[in-house]
Amino acid sequence: MFLEKKIIGCFIQMIIDNPNLLNPKENYDVVIIGAGPAGISLALDLEKKKIKCCLLEAGGLEFTENSQDIYKASSSDNFPNNLEYSRLRMFGGTTGHWGGTCRTLDEYDFINWPINKEDLDPYFKKAQMYLDLHGEFGEKNVSSDIKLVEFRNSNIRFGDYYLNKIKSSKYIKLILNAYVINFSQEEKILKKIKFFNVNGEKFNIKGNFFVFSAGGVENSRLLLHFKDLEKNIFNKNLPIGNYWFEHPYTKLGECLLNKSKLKKILKNDLYSLPYAFGSGNFSKTLNISPTNDYIKSNNILNSCVFLTYYDRPNNDAKNLIQNLSCYAPKISKKIFSLFKKGLVCNGVLRSSWEQDAEYNNCIKLVHNDKDKYNIPKIKLDYKLSEKSKFTARNFFRKLSEYFISNDIGRIKAESFMLNDNENIYSEAGYHHMGGTIMGNDINNSVVDKNLKIHGSKNLYVLGSSVFPSGGYANPTFTILQLSFRLSDNISNLLKKI
């Protein structure tokens, strides 16, 4: 069945749900597995270069429970969310339910990468355009240790927004409900990708280059499955699935703030996301991070604390003053007097920070638990590293000291921020990174600086799974920059064929 068919000149543009209609002899320049933001942006950029692509999407145009069932997985008790629903198996991928928050990685975040921030800077404007973002990601130091940073918010849902562009493309063929299971090769060169459709029928797609862009979990799962097939299209000892990580995220505490001091000392002329964290009207959010110098001198990871405060009275403020009075009766008395005059507001402190990539945090195949296509499901082994816990506590305490020394306010911390022996519970689970990380050493990385798998001649990986580290920033903007960089690289290689 054709979902869409148009004739323009001598071209037929199709989104195909029935692969029986494909020409089995057709050879594509690039075959892309996964139609999330990485795969879609790569395909559209290659189209501008008149490069013929086949885009394979394991799901359909809409969310279905039957399709999503493939994503069922198990995870360690330290991972807070259900891996099944923290990602979407459909055209457009997880942007179908993402919040849209975007920021570039900091220069410091590339310390473990084989490329620098400057290598991605040429793709900044293009990523902005695809995400419909305006303005820079500004930042400014408020001390030698602390800086304010800027996020932007995209309203783009890739599945909805870019569907018509792919429908009308002369160079992109989208095949829906195509579940990759196997491959064919010649002399370590991948020649065909084999996939099932929803009816369990098997099909082949030929290509010159192949790109896995199936997401921060499925990239590892599919490559681990390919590794099990033992056909040696890449180095067999690569740490596929290892060094997996995410952004820990949780509420760190609450605070009472002197509004005049806050606005004077932490004067914020940067863009502030409206209604951040569902805080509603009358709220403002400051994004506070350590400077690179502070990170290096204290041997911590990168971090961002989100201070959301209100310019209106809030009942919780009085309760917070009562709690603070047990610890600081004198300052609480002063604050209460200011509160009566309307000079004090309350705030909430949340944080997203960096988890360093550790070998034992990994995705594994569960060979005795397979999906309906007989591909093993996965288990995630994961826990917060000691350095990640130290980072959260260290910078939070630094921020508390800064508030006190500048008389900005007082913070009531969650108990786990004060007790180093208490576990930090993270509410995160939607920024999946690592598992196929980028690097120069085949002993501790899976892809090279150009995203080609070590030992392969024409197989690439794209998405946040290649991140060797992820700072605190949402990964989507960087994913798009990597997509456009890969597009340029593949385009240059095709010219040599």
Side-chain angles (χ1 to χ4, degrees), residues 21 106 133 159 202 297 427 450:
L21 301 170
D106 290 340
L133 296 174
K202 192 181 294 185
S297 62
E427 302 168 16
N450 294 317

Side-chain angles (χ1 to χ4, degrees), residues 2-8 12-15 21 167:
F2 288 101
L3 294 181
E4 183 76 13
K5 180 176 180 181
K6 295 180 181 179
I7 299 179
I8 302 176
I12 297 178
Q13 291 80 48
M14 291 177 292
I15 295 179
L21 301 170
K167 282 181 180 179

Side-chain angles (χ1 to χ4, degrees), residues 27-30 51-52 189-191 207-210 457-458 460 489-497:
N27 191 79
Y28 296 89
D29 294 318
V30 185
I51 293 172
K52 187 170 63 174
I189 298 176
L190 193 62
K191 289 291 185 179
N208 294 320
F209 293 94
F210 296 83
K457 295 184 179 180
N458 65 338
Y460 294 76
N489 183 39
I490 289 178
S491 175
N492 291 331
L493 291 172
L494 282 167
K495 292 174 185 177
K496 300 176 182 179
I497 295 179

Side-chain angles (χ1 to χ4, degrees), residues 297-433:
S297 62
N298 287 270
N299 193 28
I300 64 169
L301 303 168
N302 212 343
S303 175
C304 189
V305 174
F306 310 105
L307 169 58
T308 300
Y309 65 96
Y310 301 86
D311 277 338
R312 59 166 171 76
N314 190 290
N315 293 331
D316 290 340
K318 292 183 179 180
N319 294 329
L320 184 53
I321 293 170
Q322 282 185 326
N323 290 331
L324 278 173
S325 65
C326 299
Y327 304 100
K330 290 183 179 180
I331 191 64
S332 298
K333 184 176 180 180
K334 177 182 176 183
I335 291 174
F336 195 73
S337 68
L338 293 172
F339 178 72
K340 287 182 177 179
K341 298 175 184 177
L343 299 177
V344 166
C345 59
N346 71 307
V348 178
L349 294 153
R350 302 175 178 88
S351 183
S352 175
W353 68 96
E354 185 174 357
Q355 159 80 17
D356 46 335
E358 293 193 318
Y359 181 85
N360 289 329
N361 281 345
C362 62
I363 293 168
K364 300 177 179 178
L365 294 184
V366 182
H367 292 93
N368 61 355
D369 185 13
K370 298 183 179 181
D371 63 29
K372 61 184 178 183
Y373 298 112
N374 205 36
I375 306 299
K377 295 183 180 180
I378 64 107
K379 178 183 178 181
L380 172 65
D381 285 344
Y382 174 83
K383 67 177 182 179
L384 282 182
S385 70
E386 292 305 314
K387 189 170 184 178
S388 183
K389 295 175 186 177
F390 175 72
T391 294
R393 292 182 174 118
N394 178 280
F395 186 60
F396 184 75
R397 288 166 181 168
K398 178 64 185 177
L399 192 59
S400 299
E401 293 168 2
Y402 182 81
F403 275 33
I404 292 171
S405 62
N406 289 278
D407 201 25
I408 293 172
R410 296 298 185 272
I411 293 173
K412 176 182 178 292
E414 297 294 324
S415 61
F416 55 77
M417 297 306 294
L418 302 173
N419 183 0
D420 291 348
N421 295 320
E422 190 173 340
N423 191 39
I424 295 178
Y425 178 80
S426 167
E427 302 168 16
Y430 289 84
H431 296 170
H432 303 152
M433 295 171 282

Side-chain angles (χ1 to χ4, degrees), residues 39 124-125 221 261 319 400 482:
F124 181 91
K125 295 295 183 184
R221 182 192 185 203
K261 290 284 184 73
N319 294 329
S400 299
L482 288 169

